[in-house]
Amino acid sequence: MGHRLDDVSAPARLAGPDEAISTEELVLAARNHGIPLEALRYDVTPPGLHYVLTHYDIPYAERSSWQIALGGRVRQPLLLGMDELRAYPAVTERVTLECAGNGRALLTPRPVSQPWLVEAVGTAEWTGVPLRVLLAEAGVAPDAVEVVFTGADHGVERGVEQDYQRALPLDVALGAKPEVLVAYEMNGAPLPPQHGHPVRLVVPGWYGMAHVKWLREITVTDTPFTGFQQAVAYRLRQQSGDEGEPVTRIAPRALLIPPGFPDFMSRTRVVRPGAVTLEGRAWSGRAPVTGVEVSCDGGGTWHAADLDPEDGHRWAWRRWRFAWAATPGHHVLSARATDAEGHTQPLDQRWNRGGFANNLVQRVPVLCLDPDDTA
Amino acid sequence: MGHRLDDVSAPARLAGPDEAISTEELVLAARNHGIPLEALRYDVTPPGLHYVLTHYDIPYAERSSWQIALGGRVRQPLLLGMDELRAYPAVTERVTLECAGNGRALLTPRPVSQPWLVEAVGTAEWTGVPLRVLLAEAGVAPDAVEVVFTGADHGVERGVEQDYQRALPLDVALGAKPEVLVAYEMNGAPLPPQHGHPVRLVVPGWYGMAHVKWLREITVTDTPFTGFQQAVAYRLRQQSGDEGEPVTRIAPRALLIPPGFPDFMSRTRVVRPGAVTLEGRAWSGRAPVTGVEVSCDGGGTWHAADLDPEDGHRWAWRRWRFAWAATPGHHVLSARATDAEGHTQPLDQRWNRGGFANNLVQRVPVLCLDPDDTA
């Protein structure tokens, strides 16, 4: 007869064998959004086109009164307003950010959560203060092992009421290559509300769950963090009882800009016969991308694409191009990235119960019209 | 054996009685996005939170080389670059824009298209040149009846390859209250790519389909326009063979900011017992909003909400507030707008085959916890 959180907050589940997208998944898809794939044309994703995933609500935040409390296992706790944060020397880094759940809705069986297809990615120029500078000023205690980050977004997930919290190992938090940023600008402007206004974490190379938005607290701890988003969510599990491996760095992925023009409803692409330049982006949070291969026959044969030269933006995607001679008929286009550690995108799904860190190759169906179809 | 557009571009259809959301609908939901309802808190929607609906692809556009050709039944055709457009005196208008398909995915049976729930809305400050100024300079011929607007986005829809095109009756195009704008700024900045960069139409009070983005041509005609988006799509039909009424101005609607905090997956809201201020927005493209009523018992009883005073922004939404005394249990919250012409939101669905101009009242399920549930 009671009215408790469990009434509205269910355990994680997998969709049934023939279960279509639920209304709950649609509600998430209408709120959160991916990058329209044609926007892969931009080196830096324009505002509003970068993917967004908000666990709970976008909190209301006044820049003038916002403070970050840095405490825990430190010599000298800090309480920083936004003007104080801006007084530190600023660093700008171009970073490609991808949601750990990207590709989830294409898995079989489908984990029921935010139903991403392939589009949960974007690249921005983030400006802020290196976290290691703030930690050095506070003085990290010798027994410290992790740093916990608390955001202002509040909600309930699988029965657990919480502010969004994630931790990083101390060596990552103190790292210089890459530097973790406490960021207050995106593409040269104050953070928009949905990207963490007024301040968020940016962890180059890591999936999005680590980049805590609406950052309020930074807490150095002497024990590993066991909060919901660390120990329950964002783990690679085959069975629900498994401890699982933590989700960390971004696996390599290439995406192509669907060529030609789309049908409104099916989004199937249409091209006319002849030379079609295929173009896209590739990235990895583990090691630099060293190669992209393209298939125009559904994965039957693969051909090397031309990678743009390195441009010094180690943590951002790289552009690639490939010349395709389109002939009338139905085709499936794919691209496949490989990084310097030898990680390559799989052709068969790598499944886990959360649908995390999935980097199955994209498949883009294209119809090449007959030469006489002037429509 | 041929490879033709009809292979990938199907007729419009309704979902079957038990048909869940299809992958095609999910693909559209992942590309296009609504306003996160908590962003109804802002008078003017911040960049990236305003709803976006793109029929085809967002075209690539260079501001420096963009031109608008104004021709047809005029004395003197004009060819305007962006600098020439900016040389005219500028007007700024705050406008609430809503997609004509808002609410479609809640209809029974469901028209299969972009599966909006209630969130396809946003408000922006649009700056540009009044269309009537450009038409006056070109000199409209006495036999003119409509003005056709052509965008640069190209695709195929139900077998018809097209650039996106829509027309307005001449009296609307020449209107002074409201003025139609040829707009090049949104919220004081150049238009973002997804909102029509570098220039678009803004038609205060009309649903989104009239606000042609990536505007390339303005053509005055002496016959009614019969293009796809005018004569086939965006008509109110009960049967597929009907001629149907055209979709024009925005019907009244109120939305409330879901109170409390959400469950991640179900988005069900959770509050604690006591005073809860409900807040939202209401708008109508037909006549000013004159009242908003709120129900906290699923539509059983209705109570007048407090409307903010008129602020001179006739074409933008108005804020309203209502004090709710939340008691433990499950509740359904709704709000309902009425405008000065006496139009009120229906409590039962008004159905048409396109799912257009639907303004059924929003329903927000809320769990109020027992006083002792400290989670």
Side-chain angles (χ1 to χ4, degrees):
Chain A
M1 184 54 210
H3 302 104
R4 307 188 70 85
L5 286 171
D6 289 347
D7 297 357
V8 297
S9 194
R13 71 180 187 93
L14 303 176
D18 295 314
E19 184 182 337
I21 298 295
S22 64
T23 300
E24 291 189 348
E25 289 165 289
L26 178 61
V27 170
L28 288 176
R31 272 182 67 77
N32 300 306
H33 68 89
I35 189 173
L37 293 178
E38 64 272 30
L40 292 167
R41 66 166 72 104
Y42 306 105
D43 291 334
V44 173
T45 310
L49 297 179
H50 194 292
Y51 98 90
V52 173
L53 187 287
T54 309
H55 271 248
Y56 311 121
D57 286 356
I58 299 167
Y60 181 71
E62 296 267 15
R63 185 195 170 284
S64 56
S65 57
W66 197 266
Q67 289 185 314
I68 294 179
L70 195 166
R73 299 296 302 150
V74 295
R75 191 178 61 245
Q76 175 61 53
L78 305 177
L79 189 61
L80 299 165
M82 293 305 298
D83 289 340
E84 289 157 300
L85 207 58
R86 278 183 174 267
Y88 289 89
V91 168
T92 297
E93 186 77 61
R94 185 180 298 182
V95 177
T96 293
L97 225 163
E98 184 177 10
C99 184
N102 203 10
R104 177 186 288 128
L106 298 172
L107 294 177
T108 305
R110 183 180 80 250
V112 175
S113 183
Q114 166 70 32
W116 294 123
L117 300 158
V118 298
E119 64 291 300
V121 68
T123 295
E125 303 263 9
W126 301 99
T127 299
V129 183
L131 176 63
R132 64 190 181 114
V133 170
L134 301 180
L135 290 174
E137 180 162 331
V140 174
D143 60 358
V145 295
E146 287 193 351
V147 184
V148 179
F149 306 92
T150 303
D153 49 332
H154 185 86
V156 54
E157 203 161 344
R158 302 184 218 167
V160 182
E161 187 176 346
Q162 58 191 285
D163 289 338
Y164 187 86
Q165 288 188 304
R166 284 278 308 180
L168 289 173
L170 189 64
D171 63 330
V172 175
L174 290 173
K177 287 188 173 187
E179 286 179 319
V180 176
L181 294 184
V182 177
Y184 47 74
E185 286 188 1
M186 180 184 190
N187 300 343
L191 299 185
Q194 70 273 31
H195 289 290
H197 181 82
V199 61
R200 70 177 298 171
L201 208 65
V202 172
V203 190
W206 285 55
Y207 282 113
M209 78 281 151
H211 304 232
V212 178
K213 297 191 284 268
W214 313 291
L215 184 63
R216 302 223 72 149
E217 288 179 24
I218 300 172
T219 309
V220 180
T221 64
D222 58 4
T223 54
F225 178 61
T226 58
F228 179 89
Q229 304 294 346
Q230 204 88 16
V232 181
Y234 293 115
R235 302 195 70 99
L236 305 172
R237 293 189 179 92
Q238 293 300 311
Q239 305 290 337
S240 62
D242 295 351
E243 185 187 4
E245 289 295 310
V247 178
T248 58
R249 291 181 180 277
I250 299 173
R253 190 194 286 271
L255 287 178
L256 63 87
I257 300 174
F261 58 85
D263 173 58
F264 170 75
M265 192 59 227
S266 68
R267 296 296 304 174
T268 305
R269 310 303 300 194
V270 179
V271 301
R272 295 202 150 80
V276 175
T277 298
L278 302 179
E279 177 184 326
R281 303 279 170 172
W283 62 93
S284 169
R286 298 176 179 175
V289 168
T290 50
V292 172
E293 297 163 283
V294 171
S295 172
C296 301
D297 58 2
T301 58
W302 294 88
H303 312 276
D306 292 322
L307 265 185
D308 271 11
E310 283 194 50
D311 58 4
H313 297 294
R314 161 64 190 95
W315 303 102
W317 55 28
R318 254 171 105 176
R319 186 163 59 180
W320 56 265
R321 288 197 175 89
F322 181 78
W324 178 39
T327 55
H330 291 273
H331 306 275
V332 174
L333 309 182
S334 292
R336 189 182 191 191
T338 299
D339 71 20
E341 289 181 0
H343 305 290
T344 297
Q345 290 182 251
L347 300 179
D348 296 314
Q349 71 170 16
R350 305 278 168 83
W351 188 90
N352 59 81
R353 285 188 65 90
F356 296 123
N358 175 354
N359 61 341
L360 184 64
V361 295
Q362 178 193 19
R363 291 172 62 86
V364 180
V366 178
L367 169 66
C368 180
L369 297 172
D370 288 338
D372 62 345
D373 190 340
T374 55
Chain B
M1 185 54 207
H3 302 105
R4 310 189 68 86
L5 286 171
D6 289 348
D7 298 357
V8 298
S9 194
R13 72 180 187 91
L14 303 175
D18 295 314
E19 183 182 337
I21 297 296
S22 64
T23 300
E24 291 189 348
E25 288 165 289
L26 178 61
V27 170
L28 287 177
R31 273 182 65 76
N32 300 306
H33 68 89
I35 189 173
L37 293 178
E38 64 271 32
L40 292 167
R41 66 167 70 106
Y42 306 105
D43 290 335
V44 173
T45 310
L49 296 179
H50 194 292
Y51 97 89
V52 174
L53 186 286
T54 309
H55 271 249
Y56 311 120
D57 285 356
I58 299 167
Y60 181 71
E62 297 266 17
R63 185 195 169 285
S64 57
S65 58
W66 196 267
Q67 290 183 314
I68 294 180
L70 195 167
R73 299 296 301 150
V74 295
R75 192 178 61 242
Q76 174 61 53
L78 305 177
L79 188 62
L80 300 165
M82 293 304 298
D83 289 340
E84 290 158 299
L85 207 59
R86 280 183 174 267
Y88 289 89
V91 168
T92 297
E93 186 78 60
R94 186 180 297 181
V95 177
T96 293
L97 225 163
E98 183 176 10
C99 185
N102 202 10
R104 177 186 288 127
L106 297 172
L107 294 178
T108 306
R110 184 179 80 252
V112 175
S113 184
Q114 166 70 33
W116 294 123
L117 300 159
V118 298
E119 63 292 299
V121 68
T123 296
E125 303 262 8
W126 301 99
T127 299
V129 183
L131 176 62
R132 65 188 180 115
V133 170
L134 300 180
L135 290 174
E137 180 162 332
V140 173
D143 61 356
V145 295
E146 287 194 353
V147 184
V148 180
F149 305 91
T150 304
D153 49 331
H154 185 88
V156 54
E157 202 160 344
R158 303 186 217 164
V160 181
E161 186 176 346
Q162 59 191 283
D163 290 338
Y164 187 86
Q165 289 187 304
R166 282 279 307 182
L168 289 174
L170 188 64
D171 63 328
V172 175
L174 289 174
K177 285 189 173 185
E179 286 179 319
V180 176
L181 294 184
V182 177
Y184 46 74
E185 285 188 0
M186 182 185 190
N187 300 344
L191 298 185
Q194 70 274 29
H195 289 291
H197 181 84
V199 61
R200 72 176 297 170
L201 209 63
V202 172
V203 190
W206 285 56
Y207 281 113
M209 78 282 151
H211 304 231
V212 177
K213 298 190 285 264
W214 313 291
L215 184 62
R216 302 222 74 148
E217 288 179 23
I218 300 173
T219 308
V220 180
T221 64
D222 57 4
T223 54
F225 178 61
T226 58
F228 180 89
Q229 303 294 346
Q230 203 87 17
V232 180
Y234 293 115
R235 302 195 69 98
L236 305 172
R237 292 190 180 90
Q238 293 300 311
Q239 305 290 335
S240 62
D242 296 352
E243 185 188 4
E245 288 295 309
V247 178
T248 58
R249 292 181 180 277
I250 299 174
R253 190 194 286 271
L255 288 179
L256 63 87
I257 300 174
F261 58 85
D263 172 58
F264 171 75
M265 192 60 225
S266 70
R267 296 294 304 171
T268 305
R269 311 301 303 193
V270 179
V271 301
R272 295 203 152 79
V276 175
T277 298
L278 302 179
E279 176 184 326
R281 302 278 171 172
W283 61 93
S284 169
R286 297 176 180 174
V289 168
T290 50
V292 171
E293 297 163 283
V294 171
S295 172
C296 300
D297 58 3
T301 58
W302 294 88
H303 312 278
D306 293 322
L307 266 185
D308 271 11
E310 283 193 52
D311 58 4
H313 296 294
R314 161 65 188 94
W315 303 103
W317 56 28
R318 255 171 104 176
R319 187 163 59 181
W320 56 265
R321 288 198 176 90
F322 181 79
W324 178 40
T327 54
H330 292 273
H331 306 276
V332 174
L333 309 181
S334 293
R336 188 183 192 193
T338 299
D339 70 19
E341 291 180 358
H343 305 291
T344 297
Q345 291 183 250
L347 300 178
D348 296 315
Q349 71 172 16
R350 305 278 167 84
W351 188 89
N352 60 80
R353 284 187 66 90
F356 296 124
N358 176 355
N359 62 341
L360 186 64
V361 297
Q362 176 193 22
R363 291 173 61 86
V364 180
V366 178
L367 170 66
C368 180
L369 297 173
D370 289 337
D372 61 344
D373 190 339
T374 56

